[in-house]
Structure formats: C-alpha cells, structure tokens
Amino acid sequence: MIPVPTNTPPAARRAGLLATRRSSLVVLAAVLLLGLLASLTSLALAPTSAHAATTPACATDATTACIQGTLLRSDGKPAKGVTIEATPPSGAALSSTTDDTGRWAIAAKSTGTYTVTLKESTLPSGQYLANEKTNDRKVPVTLGSSAGTIFQLSTTKGAVIDNNGSGSDFSFQRLAQQAASGLRLGLLLALAAIGLSLVYGTTGLQSFAHGEQVTLGGLLAYTFANTLGLPLILAAVITVVISAATGFFQDQLIWKPLRKKGLSLTQLMIVTIGLSIALQYAFQYFYGAATVRISIANPKTVDIGGVVLTVQSYVAMGISVVVLVLSGLFLLKTRTGRATRAVSDNPALAAASGIDVDRIIRLVWTIAAGLAGLSGVMLGLVLNGVNWELGLQILLLIFAAVTLGGLGTAFGALVGSLIVGMIVELTNLVLPGDFKYATALFILIIILMFRPQGIFGRRERIG
C-alpha cells in the first residue's frame, strides 16, 4: 500500500492525481507498443516468399476450402515427402505431399464429407502409421473454411495411440515436447489471467465475460488481417486498441454506474454472466460457428533440442515473457502501480490518501481488456485458428490459474497459469482426451484443501 499520509496538502494531492493520470497514459501507450512489438516480430519471422514456394498453397474463399495438417515423425521432426489423399463424395481423389516442415494442404472445391488417407508406402524408413485401422478419416468440408486431421507416426508397426497423443510409446523427447507445450499454454493463459486478477483485486469482482475479451481479440485480428486484408502489424495494433477501449467503456458505462448504485458482488457477477452469453451469441451471429484463421500462410517450424514448435509459438512465448516482466515492474516500480496495489489492499484508505479510486479501477479494466485481446491474438496465431467459443474453452483454466495463485495477486496468477498449463499438457502423456482439463481442476481442488487462499494469497478471517 502507498505510504501517503491522510493529511496531505491539497496541492500535493492534485500533483499526485496529475502524476497518476500521466502514468496511466504511459501504461496505455506501453500496452499498445507491446501489441505492435508482437505483431512486428511475428511478421518479421513469418514464412518468407522462398519458403512459401515449397509450402503447399491453399487459401479459403467462397469457392475453396482447405484440408490441411502437419505430419511429424515419432521423434517430433517433420515427415517430408509423405502423400496425403482426400477423396470427395463424388469425383477423383486430390493429393498433397508434405513439405520440409511436414505441412500438407489440399484445396477442395465442393462441400461434403471427404475421405482423407495417408499413403503408408511413402512414409520415411522406420516410421509406421499409428492406428492403422482408422487411416481412412471422414472430414466434413465447407467452402470458405479450413478443416484438417492429424496422423500420428510411431517406430512400432501396429502401435495404437489415442487422438491426443497418449499411448504406449512414451519417450523423453515426447515428455520434452509436452513440457514445452505446457509452458507455452501457461504463458498465454497468464496474459489473460493477470488482467482478471487485477480486476478482482481492485473491485472484488470475478468477471465471467473475461474469456470473451480473449475471443474478441482473436476475431478482431482475423477481421482486420484476413477479411479486410490489412497488414498483420496494423491489424494487431487496431485489435489491441479496440480491446483496451472495450475495457475502458465497460467500466464507464456499466460497472461504475452499477457500483454507484451499491449492487452487491453477486449481482455484478450475474451481470458478467449475462454479458458473456450475449457476447457469445453476438460472435456466433457475425462470425458463424466455423474456426477462422488470422494468418492463412503456413508457419515455419523450429526444432530446438528435439522440441518442434512453430515460429509463432516461440514469438508468442517471448512476447508473453516481456509483457509479464513489464507488468511486474509496473506494479512494483511506478506510482500508478503502487496506487493499484493500494486500491487492492484497501479502497477506502486509498481514497483517503488522495488516490482517485475510480480512475485506477478504470485503468485496470482497460489494461485487463488490452492484455486479454493480445492473448486472443497470440492464441489465434499459435493454435492456427479461432472461433466464437475460444474464450469459453479457456475461461475455466483462467479461473483455475487465478484461484490457484491467489485471488487478486498478479504474481500468483502468473505462477498459477504456469502450473495449470504444465499439468494440462503433461497429463496427455498418460490420460486420453479432455481428461487433461479435469486433472488440472483436480489438482486445484487438492491444493485449495490445504491452502484455501492459494499459493500467494493472504489468509483472511471470515465471520
């Protein structure tokens, strides 16, 4: 909490308010610059024209759908030169050959259920198709959208692996691959979780509409970069600006008036649930239920020590680390950051010390929405697609991360996100399907049984 005496002279209070406003503008500018930095780096490291010449080309439009995927060897390296065929309900089969990155893409010109098959005779020496009995995949295809399927390879002929990668062929390389995926998921969750934790710390409100802020970021980036054809840099900057603006106007038009009317936190939480449902239906109405891609170009993959991730993944992880470090420095080193912590500790005492509590809360809503929008952009690029329920799918993980780390603590949200991300991905080594999400929540319950306040939360007396 800020050590500001209650008898501060009026002139000093006014000076403090002006400094807080200047710091607020600096923070908003920093958020926008981070979005620009992420976009610039992604664009700089995007596939070059030389690479594009070797990558199977497919772009969706009103008359074309793309059936695509990435084929990796059992050791995680790209499988080059493997033939994939897609047979439409009527007509000749279409084919594609995996490139240097293991990617393949087939342009389909008609809607229907295609039969996608991997030609086992074209597999590299020592590699075999896992789940041979399900080689003929039925893939629904709709013009104007992308579809895909994943083939898994093994060093053992006749190996059986479930659709999420868990099976009998465990290896330390696969462990490293899942751990890297867990770190990536944890960092991207942390971008959204920190904002939600700051909102809770300053207002006491758990916003169920925060996941829709993530969805909004991904869909806006798709709209500007793909539909309107703007450069990725400009599209990302506009996305972050609009996302941050939605947080500002949400507080100005909804949350501040409701706070002034004295609504309880339970009533405000119900409002966030209604807002979440309304936004989901709005996204579905304007964008449909299909998954859309922010960037049509197939990204390059990078192999570091046997761990294969896309360039976008490494860039997103780097940007996330920078944002998280700057967020910590903002909270610890700046006047506005200390004011935010003071409001989180005791809003009444912070107001008595000369802090404009409403202004701090509005700034927190703005930053939280901007970070959630940036998280949506990064997730859309890393996952190679975004749809109307992206935020709904990860909202429970965000809540788990915030609760695990300690409600209202930004650093706790970071640690909780990393733990949840690692558990979710490492669970794939032993459990099939979406059991990985249930495992993360089970670990959350166990930890809270022994430490109800979370890892970094403060123990509070109730009653």
Side-chain angles (χ1 to χ4, degrees), residues 141-168:
V141 173
T142 302
L143 295 181
S145 63
S146 297
T149 186
I150 298 176
F151 293 96
Q152 293 175 286
L153 304 183
S154 173
T155 56
T156 304
K157 185 174 179 59
V160 177
I161 306 175
D162 67 55
N163 292 333
N164 288 279
S166 61
S168 58

mmCIF file of all heavy atoms in Angstrom, residues 141-168:
data_model
loop_
_atom_site.group_PDB
_atom_site.id
_atom_site.type_symbol
_atom_site.label_atom_id
_atom_site.label_comp_id
_atom_site.label_asym_id
_atom_site.label_seq_id
_atom_site.Cartn_x
_atom_site.Cartn_y
_atom_site.Cartn_z
ATOM 1 N N VAL A 141 -16.237 -30.971 -44.866
ATOM 2 C CA VAL A 141 -15.624 -29.818 -45.515
ATOM 3 C C VAL A 141 -16.709 -28.841 -45.942
ATOM 4 O O VAL A 141 -17.720 -29.233 -46.532
ATOM 5 C CB VAL A 141 -14.789 -30.261 -46.745
ATOM 6 C CG1 VAL A 141 -14.282 -29.050 -47.519
ATOM 7 C CG2 VAL A 141 -13.624 -31.139 -46.307
ATOM 8 N N THR A 142 -16.493 -27.562 -45.625
ATOM 9 C CA THR A 142 -17.414 -26.494 -46.021
ATOM 10 C C THR A 142 -16.629 -25.421 -46.753
ATOM 11 O O THR A 142 -15.560 -24.996 -46.279
ATOM 12 C CB THR A 142 -18.103 -25.869 -44.792
ATOM 13 O OG1 THR A 142 -18.797 -26.895 -44.077
ATOM 14 C CG2 THR A 142 -19.085 -24.794 -45.217
ATOM 15 N N LEU A 143 -17.124 -24.985 -47.904
ATOM 16 C CA LEU A 143 -16.435 -23.962 -48.675
ATOM 17 C C LEU A 143 -16.280 -22.694 -47.844
ATOM 18 O O LEU A 143 -17.171 -22.284 -47.109
ATOM 19 C CB LEU A 143 -17.196 -23.658 -49.962
ATOM 20 C CG LEU A 143 -17.292 -24.801 -50.985
ATOM 21 C CD1 LEU A 143 -18.066 -24.343 -52.219
ATOM 22 C CD2 LEU A 143 -15.912 -25.301 -51.383
ATOM 23 N N GLY A 144 -15.098 -22.082 -47.985
ATOM 24 C CA GLY A 144 -14.826 -20.858 -47.249
ATOM 25 C C GLY A 144 -14.219 -21.075 -45.878
ATOM 26 O O GLY A 144 -13.976 -20.108 -45.157
ATOM 27 N N SER A 145 -13.946 -22.334 -45.499
ATOM 28 C CA SER A 145 -13.369 -22.607 -44.187
ATOM 29 C C SER A 145 -12.292 -23.667 -44.319
ATOM 30 O O SER A 145 -12.105 -24.272 -45.377
ATOM 31 C CB SER A 145 -14.451 -23.070 -43.207
ATOM 32 O OG SER A 145 -15.015 -24.294 -43.637
ATOM 33 N N SER A 146 -11.570 -23.880 -43.221
ATOM 34 C CA SER A 146 -10.495 -24.870 -43.196
ATOM 35 C C SER A 146 -10.908 -26.071 -42.362
ATOM 36 O O SER A 146 -11.677 -25.949 -41.403
ATOM 37 C CB SER A 146 -9.219 -24.252 -42.614
ATOM 38 O OG SER A 146 -8.750 -23.194 -43.421
ATOM 39 N N ALA A 147 -10.396 -27.225 -42.732
ATOM 40 C CA ALA A 147 -10.618 -28.452 -41.982
ATOM 41 C C ALA A 147 -9.315 -29.229 -41.968
ATOM 42 O O ALA A 147 -8.410 -28.969 -42.768
ATOM 43 C CB ALA A 147 -11.741 -29.278 -42.605
ATOM 44 N N GLY A 148 -9.198 -30.162 -41.071
ATOM 45 C CA GLY A 148 -7.958 -30.912 -41.009
ATOM 46 C C GLY A 148 -8.081 -32.160 -40.175
ATOM 47 O O GLY A 148 -9.102 -32.413 -39.521
ATOM 48 N N THR A 149 -7.033 -32.948 -40.192
ATOM 49 C CA THR A 149 -6.948 -34.150 -39.376
ATOM 50 C C THR A 149 -5.476 -34.398 -39.072
ATOM 51 O O THR A 149 -4.595 -33.918 -39.794
ATOM 52 C CB THR A 149 -7.574 -35.358 -40.089
ATOM 53 O OG1 THR A 149 -7.600 -36.468 -39.199
ATOM 54 C CG2 THR A 149 -6.787 -35.731 -41.337
ATOM 55 N N ILE A 150 -5.218 -35.144 -38.018
ATOM 56 C CA ILE A 150 -3.845 -35.390 -37.572
ATOM 57 C C ILE A 150 -3.539 -36.874 -37.695
ATOM 58 O O ILE A 150 -4.253 -37.714 -37.146
ATOM 59 C CB ILE A 150 -3.637 -34.924 -36.125
ATOM 60 C CG1 ILE A 150 -3.862 -33.419 -36.020
ATOM 61 C CG2 ILE A 150 -2.246 -35.286 -35.631
ATOM 62 C CD1 ILE A 150 -3.764 -32.893 -34.610
ATOM 63 N N PHE A 151 -2.480 -37.183 -38.422
ATOM 64 C CA PHE A 151 -1.958 -38.549 -38.486
ATOM 65 C C PHE A 151 -0.753 -38.633 -37.553
ATOM 66 O O PHE A 151 0.087 -37.736 -37.526
ATOM 67 C CB PHE A 151 -1.535 -38.897 -39.916
ATOM 68 C CG PHE A 151 -2.677 -38.989 -40.893
ATOM 69 C CD1 PHE A 151 -2.996 -37.903 -41.688
ATOM 70 C CD2 PHE A 151 -3.420 -40.144 -40.998
ATOM 71 C CE1 PHE A 151 -4.040 -37.965 -42.596
ATOM 72 C CE2 PHE A 151 -4.477 -40.225 -41.906
ATOM 73 C CZ PHE A 151 -4.785 -39.130 -42.702
ATOM 74 N N GLN A 152 -0.675 -39.728 -36.802
ATOM 75 C CA GLN A 152 0.428 -39.915 -35.874
ATOM 76 C C GLN A 152 1.289 -41.084 -36.304
ATOM 77 O O GLN A 152 0.783 -42.107 -36.765
ATOM 78 C CB GLN A 152 -0.097 -40.123 -34.450
ATOM 79 C CG GLN A 152 -0.777 -38.884 -33.883
ATOM 80 C CD GLN A 152 -1.392 -39.159 -32.525
ATOM 81 O OE1 GLN A 152 -2.423 -39.822 -32.423
ATOM 82 N NE2 GLN A 152 -0.775 -38.653 -31.488
ATOM 83 N N LEU A 153 2.598 -40.914 -36.152
ATOM 84 C CA LEU A 153 3.552 -41.936 -36.562
ATOM 85 C C LEU A 153 4.223 -42.547 -35.335
ATOM 86 O O LEU A 153 4.288 -41.938 -34.270
ATOM 87 C CB LEU A 153 4.605 -41.335 -37.495
ATOM 88 C CG LEU A 153 4.074 -40.633 -38.750
ATOM 89 C CD1 LEU A 153 5.223 -40.145 -39.612
ATOM 90 C CD2 LEU A 153 3.147 -41.547 -39.539
ATOM 91 N N SER A 154 4.724 -43.746 -35.518
ATOM 92 C CA SER A 154 5.386 -44.467 -34.443
ATOM 93 C C SER A 154 6.522 -45.288 -35.027
ATOM 94 O O SER A 154 6.551 -45.568 -36.231
ATOM 95 C CB SER A 154 4.389 -45.373 -33.713
ATOM 96 O OG SER A 154 5.047 -46.192 -32.767
ATOM 97 N N THR A 155 7.466 -45.658 -34.167
ATOM 98 C CA THR A 155 8.548 -46.539 -34.600
ATOM 99 C C THR A 155 8.138 -48.004 -34.523
ATOM 100 O O THR A 155 8.901 -48.878 -34.932
ATOM 101 C CB THR A 155 9.791 -46.309 -33.725
ATOM 102 O OG1 THR A 155 9.430 -46.511 -32.348
ATOM 103 C CG2 THR A 155 10.340 -44.898 -33.907
ATOM 104 N N THR A 156 6.958 -48.243 -33.991
ATOM 105 C CA THR A 156 6.452 -49.614 -33.837
ATOM 106 C C THR A 156 5.279 -49.847 -34.774
ATOM 107 O O THR A 156 4.298 -49.105 -34.731
ATOM 108 C CB THR A 156 5.996 -49.870 -32.383
ATOM 109 O OG1 THR A 156 7.081 -49.595 -31.493
ATOM 110 C CG2 THR A 156 5.538 -51.308 -32.207
ATOM 111 N N LYS A 157 5.401 -50.863 -35.603
ATOM 112 C CA LYS A 157 4.309 -51.171 -36.529
ATOM 113 C C LYS A 157 3.109 -51.698 -35.744
ATOM 114 O O LYS A 157 3.234 -52.550 -34.869
ATOM 115 C CB LYS A 157 4.763 -52.205 -37.560
ATOM 116 C CG LYS A 157 3.722 -52.483 -38.636
ATOM 117 C CD LYS A 157 4.273 -53.396 -39.700
ATOM 118 C CE LYS A 157 3.238 -53.701 -40.763
ATOM 119 N NZ LYS A 157 2.739 -52.484 -41.431
ATOM 120 N N GLY A 158 1.921 -51.145 -36.056
ATOM 121 C CA GLY A 158 0.709 -51.567 -35.374
ATOM 122 C C GLY A 158 0.465 -50.868 -34.045
ATOM 123 O O GLY A 158 -0.428 -51.276 -33.296
ATOM 124 N N ALA A 159 1.246 -49.812 -33.736
ATOM 125 C CA ALA A 159 1.065 -49.103 -32.470
ATOM 126 C C ALA A 159 -0.299 -48.432 -32.429
ATOM 127 O O ALA A 159 -0.839 -48.011 -33.451
ATOM 128 C CB ALA A 159 2.168 -48.057 -32.280
ATOM 129 N N VAL A 160 -0.856 -48.341 -31.232
ATOM 130 C CA VAL A 160 -2.148 -47.693 -31.027
ATOM 131 C C VAL A 160 -1.928 -46.510 -30.089
ATOM 132 O O VAL A 160 -1.459 -46.676 -28.969
ATOM 133 C CB VAL A 160 -3.184 -48.653 -30.422
ATOM 134 C CG1 VAL A 160 -4.490 -47.921 -30.148
ATOM 135 C CG2 VAL A 160 -3.406 -49.834 -31.363
ATOM 136 N N ILE A 161 -2.287 -45.317 -30.577
ATOM 137 C CA ILE A 161 -2.144 -44.082 -29.798
ATOM 138 C C ILE A 161 -3.475 -43.365 -29.867
ATOM 139 O O ILE A 161 -4.115 -43.310 -30.923
ATOM 140 C CB ILE A 161 -1.026 -43.175 -30.370
ATOM 141 C CG1 ILE A 161 0.291 -43.946 -30.477
ATOM 142 C CG2 ILE A 161 -0.855 -41.937 -29.516
ATOM 143 C CD1 ILE A 161 1.392 -43.155 -31.137
ATOM 144 N N ASP A 162 -3.925 -42.783 -28.738
ATOM 145 C CA ASP A 162 -5.202 -42.077 -28.784
ATOM 146 C C ASP A 162 -5.039 -40.757 -29.509
ATOM 147 O O ASP A 162 -3.943 -40.313 -29.821
ATOM 148 C CB ASP A 162 -5.763 -41.853 -27.373
ATOM 149 C CG ASP A 162 -4.934 -40.891 -26.548
ATOM 150 O OD1 ASP A 162 -4.706 -39.770 -27.019
ATOM 151 O OD2 ASP A 162 -4.519 -41.268 -25.439
ATOM 152 N N ASN A 163 -6.164 -40.099 -29.790
ATOM 153 C CA ASN A 163 -6.183 -38.902 -30.617
ATOM 154 C C ASN A 163 -5.448 -37.730 -30.014
ATOM 155 O O ASN A 163 -5.152 -36.756 -30.687
ATOM 156 C CB ASN A 163 -7.625 -38.489 -30.914
ATOM 157 C CG ASN A 163 -8.317 -39.482 -31.811
ATOM 158 O OD1 ASN A 163 -7.670 -40.158 -32.593
ATOM 159 N ND2 ASN A 163 -9.629 -39.588 -31.670
ATOM 160 N N ASN A 164 -5.163 -37.776 -28.705
ATOM 161 C CA ASN A 164 -4.488 -36.658 -28.082
ATOM 162 C C ASN A 164 -3.040 -36.969 -27.759
ATOM 163 O O ASN A 164 -2.380 -36.228 -27.038
ATOM 164 C CB ASN A 164 -5.214 -36.247 -26.786
ATOM 165 C CG ASN A 164 -6.523 -35.562 -27.078
ATOM 166 O OD1 ASN A 164 -6.562 -34.382 -27.379
ATOM 167 N ND2 ASN A 164 -7.603 -36.329 -26.990
ATOM 168 N N GLY A 165 -2.556 -38.078 -28.282
ATOM 169 C CA GLY A 165 -1.137 -38.324 -28.167
ATOM 170 C C GLY A 165 -0.752 -39.280 -27.056
ATOM 171 O O GLY A 165 0.396 -39.677 -26.972
ATOM 172 N N SER A 166 -1.626 -39.637 -26.133
ATOM 173 C CA SER A 166 -1.248 -40.562 -25.079
ATOM 174 C C SER A 166 -1.312 -41.978 -25.606
ATOM 175 O O SER A 166 -2.190 -42.350 -26.356
ATOM 176 C CB SER A 166 -2.176 -40.403 -23.867
ATOM 177 O OG SER A 166 -3.508 -40.682 -24.209
ATOM 178 N N GLY A 167 -0.388 -42.799 -25.226
ATOM 179 C CA GLY A 167 -0.360 -44.156 -25.714
ATOM 180 C C GLY A 167 0.805 -44.904 -25.128
ATOM 181 O O GLY A 167 1.339 -44.555 -24.091
ATOM 182 N N SER A 168 1.220 -45.949 -25.818
ATOM 183 C CA SER A 168 2.216 -46.845 -25.260
ATOM 184 C C SER A 168 3.640 -46.440 -25.587
ATOM 185 O O SER A 168 4.565 -46.942 -24.969
ATOM 186 C CB SER A 168 1.965 -48.269 -25.775
ATOM 187 O OG SER A 168 2.001 -48.280 -27.200
#
